Amino acid sequence: MSPIVKQALFFLILLDALIVCSQITHPKASPFSRVEQEIGLSKISVAYSRPAARGRTIFGGLVPYGRIWRVGANESTKITVDTDMTVLGHNLPKGTYALYAFPEKEEWQITFHTNTQHWGDGRKNYDSNEDLFRIKVAPKSIPYHQENFLVNFDFITHNAANLNLIWADTMVSIPILVDTHGQMQLEIAKQLNENPTAQTYYEAARYLQEQGTDFKTALGYLNKALELGGDTYYFHRVKSLIEAELGDYKAAITSAKESLRIATKLEKDEFVRMNTINIKKWGALVTGKGN
């Protein structure tokens, strides 16, 4: 290689290096965001980018009807679930998936896609055979303008939540179910079989009380918790609620009074107020029964 050619190559390499070094990091038009939500003992995470409407017609315009949409901008939107879940009767195993949509005016198809390597919606590389499943949901008009595309969760319980996709004047809700009760039954059995404390029995009882189920078992757990030394205002408070659910209002009043006594001493004003209200309410029920 001649000296002139070597010198030319050197300057080309130097020019490339200068170009790389001179690149400016700039803010994205559609900034990245991540939303996480606990559902019972499980967690869902959605990683996506948030394009703005900027006065444009969104669905049927910027996002054409009948064509795949990445549910955001930039990279494909990713949804991660840390336990098995259910979406409209379809099993969603633990893992990460690309979330795609096929919007139409009256109905959307939402796809949970197993190939997470595509940039954006994948276009020609998208293969429906790699869909885990598709669901159909109806879009709803919202009474306000959502400028930046938004993913959030609502109607959250121990066992369920709605995943909402919101942009411009439109919202799509995807119902997701989790078998938290099954998980809790296994967890309760495990903890009670190892080295249970008063707090262990209390937490098991409180869960059943919050779920509105198996109150007799819950009361047995509370009695065991108190037997092991859990003489606290919140132990007695939950015991009173369980006894009331079982229709034993006299016992509920006794437990509520004990909770009230301890809460008053510790200046726990909220528990003082709640116990006072319940004592009055349950007292009226006892009187009404002629007891």
Side-chain angles (χ1 to χ4, degrees), residues 85-88 90-93 110-114 130-135:
M85 300 187 185
T86 304
V87 181
L88 290 178
H90 298 274
N91 184 39
L92 181 64
I110 304 293
T111 298
F112 290 77
H113 193 69
T114 59
E130 295 179 314
D131 292 346
L132 180 66
F133 59 81
R134 288 192 187 190
I135 58 170

Side-chain angles (χ1 to χ4, degrees), residues 35 43 54 80 87 135 160 168 190 204-205 234 250 258 280:
V35 58
K43 183 186 292 183
R54 300 191 186 93
T80 301
V87 181
I135 58 170
K190 175 176 178 291
Y234 48 92
K250 285 186 176 180
E258 186 61 17
K280 182 178 180 180

Side-chain angles (χ1 to χ4, degrees), residues 50-283:
R50 303 190 60 192
R54 300 191 186 93
R56 298 172 291 184
T57 298
I58 301 304
F59 299 109
L62 180 65
V63 180
Y65 288 136
R67 196 173 79 182
I68 189 171
W69 178 47
R70 74 193 74 183
V71 192
N74 302 328
E75 296 182 32
S76 61
T77 291
K78 307 297 193 305
I79 181 168
T80 301
V81 295
D82 68 354
T83 60
D84 291 358
M85 300 187 185
T86 304
V87 181
L88 290 178
H90 298 274
N91 184 39
L92 181 64
K94 174 182 177 181
T96 297
Y97 306 90
L99 193 65
Y100 295 125
F102 292 82
E104 295 285 2
K105 189 172 183 180
E106 302 296 332
E107 184 179 73
W108 286 28
Q109 291 189 50
I110 304 293
T111 298
F112 290 77
H113 193 69
T114 59
N115 189 333
T116 60
Q117 302 305 310
H118 297 315
W119 173 263
D121 56 27
R123 295 296 170 89
K124 293 182 179 180
N125 292 319
Y126 168 78
D127 182 357
S128 62
N129 291 319
E130 295 179 314
D131 292 346
L132 180 66
F133 59 81
R134 288 192 187 190
I135 58 170
K136 295 180 179 180
V137 290
K140 300 176 183 177
S141 295
I142 55 175
Y144 61 91
H145 175 73
Q146 177 62 49
E147 175 62 17
N148 285 86
F149 174 59
L150 176 66
V151 177
N152 68 17
F153 293 87
D154 201 1
F155 293 97
I156 303 160
T157 68
H158 288 326
N159 305 292
N162 282 354
L163 170 63
N164 298 322
L165 312 177
I166 310 169
W167 199 10
D169 60 355
T170 300
M171 176 173 74
V172 168
S173 293
I174 304 168
I176 298 176
L177 300 178
V178 182
D179 184 18
T180 301
H181 189 61
Q183 294 174 18
M184 279 299 298
Q185 286 180 313
L186 293 174
E187 180 66 13
I188 288 171
K190 175 176 178 291
Q191 294 299 328
L192 294 183
N193 191 50
E194 292 180 353
N195 188 26
T197 64
Q199 188 68 20
T200 308
Y201 283 103
Y202 163 74
E203 290 174 356
R206 183 179 178 184
Y207 168 74
L208 294 175
Q209 179 264 320
E210 289 177 344
Q211 289 295 103
T213 186
D214 206 354
F215 293 115
K216 288 185 178 180
T217 299
L219 183 58
Y221 289 158
L222 253 304
N223 288 332
K224 186 66 176 179
L226 290 167
E227 178 187 322
L228 292 175
D231 189 24
T232 68
Y233 62 88
Y234 48 92
F235 278 33
H236 289 290
R237 159 78 178 167
V238 173
K239 185 169 183 281
S240 73
L241 297 175
I242 292 170
E243 288 166 334
E245 290 288 349
L246 290 169
D248 191 349
Y249 297 114
K250 285 186 176 180
I253 291 169
T254 299
S255 296
K257 285 182 176 178
E258 186 61 17
S259 178
L260 175 62
R261 180 188 68 80
I262 300 171
T264 300
K265 183 178 179 181
L266 296 175
E267 298 182 348
K268 300 293 182 180
D269 295 342
E270 182 181 0
F271 282 84
V272 169
R273 177 181 57 81
M274 291 189 296
N275 282 307
T276 300
I277 291 171
N278 281 347
I279 289 168
K280 182 178 180 180
K281 179 176 71 175
W282 295 332

